[in-house]
Amino acid sequence: MSGANQATGLSNDELVRLYISHLIARNRSERTIKSFRSILERFIGFLGSKSVMEVSVYDIDLFLAHLRQRGWKPDSLYTAAVAIKRFLEFIGKKDVLKDFELPRREKKLPRYLEPEEVKKMLEVAEDSKEKLIVLLLYTTGLRVAELVNIKKSDIDLEKNTIRVKGKGSKERYVYFPPGVTRLLAQELSRNSSEWLFPSSKNPNHHIHYTTVERILRNLGKKAGLGKRVTPHVLRHTFATISLASGLDIREIQELLGHSNLNTTQVYAHVSRERLKRDYEKVWGAFSGL
């Protein structure tokens, strides 16, 4: 769709369905599609009988204020604003957005685990599949959507590489250490599915990303970590440890599949925080000679 004229005559619901189809056709992640659909359906409900072709920046602000009153956090409000902004751009209503500002996001350093905490998770894992999920996220920095979409044909055990299709269908290669090879080979021979991690209900499909999230959440609890463990926390852990161990920031950018170096630069801040903490462990009690 290239403009407002093409949207004329379509209902709000039809426009949302058309936009969701656009996201699916552009290979957006399952999580993004699910999140944007939910937000836009809420927005349409909030508008009532008003057509989205008639919305103003005030309607968007009122909706975001409504979400905030219902307890939505800053990061969630930002996502909602982005979803609405991109939807309106898609239907040709860029003019509405000229005075619109995205809400501020909280500036938080990424959470990560210490190697000892990852080890504890591996010790309480129920089977080799759970161990492999943890190890791949920890040693490659993969996004959860990239992990579940790995096909057996993407893996090269001799070169220790995995071909990954990231955001925007951008292809890259990530590496895994020799210590992961045995578990990978074991999982490759376990089933006849094309997927590394097939669904238990239907081997023709891969496992759902929420299954991975549940596995990590449960392992974190069983390991007594006292913190919420997610796929993204392990991705942050990979980047933080890689930077602290000497990998160049641009190398980490490539491994993570970041299109913008600024996105990767946050790990430099994390590394400095970790350096300060480790320094204080050694020198914090020093009171002079």
Side-chain angles (χ1 to χ4, degrees), residues 30-99:
E30 187 178 352
R31 174 177 289 186
T32 297
I33 292 167
K34 181 180 179 182
S35 173
F36 277 29
R37 179 188 282 120
S38 175
I39 289 165
L40 293 173
E41 286 174 351
R42 279 177 176 264
F43 183 53
I44 295 304
F46 180 80
L47 291 176
S49 59
K50 188 172 188 175
S51 169
V52 291
M53 302 304 296
E54 299 171 356
V55 298
S56 67
V57 69
Y58 303 110
D59 293 309
I60 305 172
D61 286 343
L62 284 170
F63 176 64
L64 295 176
H66 166 74
L67 294 181
R68 184 168 187 174
Q69 289 169 353
R70 295 183 68 85
W72 282 46
K73 303 298 182 185
D75 281 355
S76 299
L77 287 174
Y78 181 86
T79 301
V82 169
I84 294 168
K85 178 177 181 291
R86 292 182 181 173
F87 171 60
L88 292 177
E89 288 172 344
F90 174 75
I91 63 174
K93 298 296 292 180
K94 285 185 179 180
D95 58 308
V96 171
L97 301 165
K98 62 182 179 181
D99 297 319

Side-chain angles (χ1 to χ4, degrees), residues 193-243:
S193 172
E194 67 175 318
W195 304 102
L196 175 62
F197 298 115
S199 167
S200 58
K201 296 179 180 178
N202 185 352
N204 293 323
H205 291 86
H206 59 69
I207 59 172
H208 200 270
Y209 70 84
T210 56
T211 302
V212 176
E213 291 175 339
R214 184 176 65 252
I215 288 171
L216 296 181
R217 185 169 60 247
N218 291 340
L219 288 177
K221 288 179 181 177
K222 287 168 66 177
L225 299 189
K227 60 179 71 171
R228 186 166 176 262
V229 181
T230 68
H232 228 61
V233 166
L234 284 174
R235 179 170 162 86
H236 294 325
T237 302
F238 165 78
T240 303
I241 292 176
S242 295
L243 186 62

Side-chain angles (χ1 to χ4, degrees), residues 1-49:
M1 182 169 294
S2 59
N5 290 338
Q6 290 174 279
T8 304
L10 295 178
S11 69
N12 288 348
D13 290 337
E14 288 171 330
L15 288 171
V16 169
R17 285 197 294 271
L18 197 59
Y19 178 59
I20 296 302
S21 297
H22 167 77
L23 295 180
I24 293 171
R26 296 303 180 277
N27 200 31
R28 300 305 184 198
S29 74
E30 187 178 352
R31 174 177 289 186
T32 297
I33 292 167
K34 181 180 179 182
S35 173
F36 277 29
R37 179 188 282 120
S38 175
I39 289 165
L40 293 173
E41 286 174 351
R42 279 177 176 264
F43 183 53
I44 295 304
F46 180 80
L47 291 176
S49 59

Side-chain angles (χ1 to χ4, degrees), residues 164-180:
V164 176
K165 190 172 285 187
K167 285 187 174 181
S169 296
K170 291 180 181 177
E171 194 174 277
R172 73 183 191 281
Y173 284 86
V174 298
Y175 306 95
F176 56 87
V180 179

